[in-house]
Amino acid sequence: MMGTVPEAYYTFVMNHAPYVYVVPPNTPDPEWGKATFAAAFAIDFLCEAHNTKQFSDRKTAIYNKVANLTDWILTQQCTDPQRKAYGGFKSTENSTQYYSVDACRVIPSLLKAYQLIGDSDYLDAAILAAGTFLKTMQDKQTYGGFARAVDINDNWLLQLDVECLYGLLGLKMLAEKYDATNSSLYQTMMSKAAGFLREGFEGLWLYFDPVDGEWHRVGLNENEVYDDSFAYALVGLYEYEGWSLSCRKVYHFLNAIKVSVQYPAYNPAICWAGYIDVVKRFPACDYYDAVTSGILWKIRKHHDKPSLAYSMKIIDKHQEEFMFWGVRHADYSFVENKKAMATVCWLGRLFLNYEEPQTRFTQILRSQSETVTLYPLQEFAEKASYGVGIDIQALVSPAKIDEVLIEPGYIINDYITAYTFIPLRERDKIRRKGVDYEVLNVQAFDWKGETAYFKSNCRRLLA
C-alpha cells in the first residue's frame, strides 16, 4: 500500500504554489516571490496526487491547480525568437535571466501537465524549451553541457553546471514519447551532455568554467559541494542510464559521509547536509537540506532501502519541521523561518510513493525482533547528549567473547549485539528493556549489491 501525504503538505502546495518560500503561518516571501521551479515541482507532486486514492475526492481541484500553474509557467517563457533566451524561463517572476537548470526542471512538469490536461500549448512550450533554448545553451560552447544562463539582453553566464544532468529526464521523455519524431535531436543532446558532465559528476565538482578550463566547487580550497545539486544530477543520470557505475559511485560516496567532531549529530541516511566537504569527507554545515530526502526517494527505494526507511521514520515524526528548507542535525529546528515549496513538493512525492521495504531481513524482523529505542547522538563533548528517542526493531543477542574487546570495569554480560535494518552510528544510544547501551561499531552486510542489514556491537552505559 502506498503512503499517505500529510494534509498540511497538500494544503501548502494548493494555497501557495508557485511561491518559493512562505513565512509561517501564510505570508509568501516577497524577496523570492514566484518562480518557475516552484511551479514545476508543485505540478510534479499534484499530477501524482491526482491519481491516488487519498485525493480521489479532490481531483477537480488538483486538475484546476495544475492548469493554473502551467498557464503561469507559460507567461514566464521567452517567446521572442530574436533573443538568445528564446524558449527559456525566467528564474523568478522579476528576473531577466534565463537559466538552463530552470528549463531542465520545467520540461518534465510541462509534459506531465500535458498528459493530465491535454492542452497542446504545454507540449509546444516543452518542445520549444528543449529543442530551441537548451539546444542554444548547448551550442554556445564546445564542451557538451549547457551554458548556465543568458539574460534578456543576450548577456551570458557560460559556466557548465553538473546539476543540469537533471535535464536528461525531460529530454528522454520527449525522445521516447512526446516528440519521438525529433528523437535523434534529443538523443544527441543527451549524449553530449552526459558525455561531458560525467567527468565533473564523478569527480564531485559543481561546475566547469570555460574561462580557465577547470572544474570548480565552492568553499575554502574549493572542497565543498551543494547536496541538492548532486541529488538532482543523480536523478537525471539515473533516469537516463539506470543504476550505472557513475550513479553508484557518487551516491555511495555522498551517503557515506561521516559525522565529525564539529557535526556529531549528522546522519546521511536521513538526509544530506546542505554543504558537504568532499575532500575531508565531512558535513560542512549543521543542517540538512530537507529537500534531498525527497529528491532521492526513487533511488533509495530501489537501491538503498534502509536509508529510505529511516528517512521516512524521521520525517514522518517531524512533518512540520521538514517543511522548512533547512533543518538542524541535532533537533530538526529550522535554520530560517521559511517553509519551502520545493521541499514540501519533493517530500510530498516521498510520502506518496513510500512503501515499507519488503526484504528477507525485514520479514525476519517482523516475526522475531523486539522493540528497542534509538537515541541519536547529538554531541560528544565531555559528556554525550542524545536526541529524542525513536522506536526501531532489532534482533538482539549476547555478545560473543571473541567478537568484543572487554574494557576495564566491564564484563562480557555488559555487551550485546544488535542486528537492525535501520543504520545505527557509532556512539548512538539504544535502550533495551530499560538498560542503555552505547553503539561501539557498526558493520553493514550486503546482498546482491544492496545493504541488507547492520550488525552493531554495543556496550552497557554505566551510570
Side-chain angles (χ1 to χ4, degrees):
M1 182 176 179
M2 305 302 278
T4 301
V5 179
E7 191 66 24
Y9 284 42
Y10 169 78
T11 301
F12 181 84
V13 175
M14 293 295 285
N15 288 349
H16 298 298
Y19 285 101
V20 178
Y21 296 115
V22 176
V23 179
N26 54 18
T27 303
D29 175 27
E31 181 179 355
W32 278 82
K34 301 175 182 178
T36 52
F37 76 87
F41 294 150
I43 291 169
D44 292 343
F45 164 68
L46 291 172
C47 283
E48 290 190 27
H50 183 270
N51 297 320
T52 64
K53 182 179 179 180
Q54 180 183 353
F55 298 106
S56 60
D57 60 340
R58 288 174 275 188
K59 285 181 178 291
T60 300
I62 292 173
Y63 181 101
N64 291 337
K65 183 66 176 181
V66 170
N68 177 271
L69 289 170
T70 315
D71 290 342
W72 180 81
I73 286 178
L74 266 56
T75 69
Q76 304 301 294
Q77 188 169 35
C78 178
T79 56
D80 183 351
Q82 303 304 313
R83 301 293 182 180
K84 298 299 183 182
Y86 182 46
F89 302 92
K90 295 179 184 180
S91 59
T92 64
E93 60 181 331
N94 297 317
S95 175
T96 60
Q97 290 189 311
Y98 297 76
Y99 281 80
S100 289
V101 73
D102 284 315
C104 293
R105 293 162 172 163
V106 168
I107 291 167
S109 310
L110 289 173
L111 297 175
K112 293 173 185 177
Y114 169 69
Q115 183 173 10
L116 176 66
I117 296 172
D119 189 330
S120 61
D121 287 346
Y122 303 165
L123 175 60
D124 293 342
I127 292 173
L128 181 64
T132 299
F133 177 71
L134 284 182
K135 183 70 164 56
T136 298
M137 303 304 275
Q138 190 170 66
D139 291 347
K140 178 61 179 177
Q141 34 71 43
T142 61
Y143 296 96
F146 303 102
R148 178 175 292 169
V150 64
D151 70 13
I152 197 64
N153 296 313
D154 298 343
N155 299 305
W156 291 87
L157 296 175
L158 294 176
Q159 296 87 348
L160 309 173
D161 297 307
V162 166
E163 186 176 0
C164 283
L165 284 169
Y166 188 78
L168 297 174
L169 197 160
L171 291 171
K172 185 178 180 183
M173 292 169 70
L174 285 165
E176 295 183 353
K177 180 177 181 180
Y178 293 97
D179 191 22
T181 57
N182 292 306
S183 178
S184 61
L185 167 65
Y186 304 126
Q187 294 289 355
T188 299
M189 292 174 66
M190 288 188 287
S191 178
K192 289 177 65 176
F196 177 72
L197 294 174
R198 188 186 307 277
E199 178 185 354
F201 178 72
E202 290 188 353
L204 299 167
W205 300 100
L206 283 170
Y207 66 92
F208 181 85
D209 194 337
V211 173
D212 60 15
E214 299 288 342
W215 290 97
H216 296 275
R217 303 187 188 104
V218 294
L220 185 65
N221 300 319
E222 292 197 344
N223 285 355
E224 298 172 17
V225 299
Y226 307 124
D227 71 301
D228 59 336
S229 293
F230 273 89
Y232 285 122
L234 265 166
V235 169
L237 196 60
Y238 178 70
E239 292 294 335
Y240 176 62
E241 64 186 23
W243 194 228
S244 63
L245 178 61
S246 295
C247 291
R248 296 197 303 270
K249 177 181 177 181
V250 170
Y251 177 81
H252 289 314
F253 183 98
L254 293 174
N255 210 58
I257 297 295
K258 302 298 184 183
V259 303
S260 65
V261 173
Q262 188 173 8
Y263 304 117
Y266 180 63
N267 189 335
I270 299 172
C271 195
W272 290 351
Y275 292 83
I276 299 172
D277 187 324
V278 297
V279 176
K280 296 181 180 178
R281 304 189 69 172
F282 288 130
C285 65
D286 69 345
Y287 65 87
Y288 295 114
D289 189 2
V291 71
T292 313
S293 295
I295 300 170
L296 296 172
W297 77 262
K298 182 180 288 187
I299 289 175
R300 286 181 162 178
K301 181 175 182 177
H302 294 295
H303 307 288
D304 186 8
K305 294 178 179 65
S307 290
L308 177 72
Y310 190 42
S311 66
M312 175 52 76
K313 186 177 284 286
I314 295 298
I315 294 167
D316 192 34
K317 187 170 183 176
H318 300 277
Q319 295 175 8
E320 173 78 11
E321 294 93 325
F322 272 84
M323 295 177 75
F324 295 84
W325 65 262
V327 295
R328 301 195 187 280
H329 306 155
D331 59 5
Y332 311 121
S333 61
F334 59 74
V335 174
E336 189 176 13
N337 190 27
K338 293 181 181 181
K339 294 182 177 179
M341 186 59 61
T343 299
V344 173
C345 291
W346 277 104
L347 293 182
R349 293 177 69 185
L350 168 64
F351 277 104
L352 276 174
N353 291 280
Y354 184 75
E355 297 175 282
E356 286 292 332
Q358 304 292 326
T359 71
R360 180 58 181 150
F361 185 75
T362 60
Q363 290 175 344
I364 295 172
L365 280 181
R366 279 192 290 273
S367 63
Q368 302 180 29
S369 68
E370 60 184 273
T371 300
V372 300
T373 305
L374 166 65
Y375 295 89
L377 179 72
Q378 285 186 328
E379 294 186 28
F380 49 70
E382 292 184 4
K383 184 177 180 180
S385 62
Y386 303 94
V388 176
I390 188 166
D391 289 343
I392 64 172
Q393 301 304 117
L395 298 173
V396 182
S397 62
K400 298 179 181 179
I401 197 166
D402 58 344
E403 290 186 342
V404 296
L405 177 64
I406 300 176
E407 299 167 78
Y410 294 89
I411 60 175
I412 186 60
N413 291 342
D414 292 323
Y415 295 83
I416 59 172
T417 300
Y419 298 87
T420 65
F421 190 66
I422 296 299
L424 307 184
R425 303 169 306 158
E426 293 181 9
R427 303 204 65 176
D428 281 347
K429 180 174 74 174
I430 62 172
R431 179 169 296 163
R432 181 197 183 225
K433 297 180 179 179
V435 179
D436 290 341
Y437 296 85
E438 180 182 27
V439 177
L440 300 178
N441 54 69
V442 182
Q443 182 180 4
F445 287 84
D446 292 353
W447 172 250
K448 294 183 178 180
E450 289 188 44
T451 300
Y453 64 90
F454 299 86
K455 174 185 177 183
S456 302
N457 290 319
C458 310
R459 179 191 61 201
R460 185 167 65 87
L461 280 168
L462 301 178

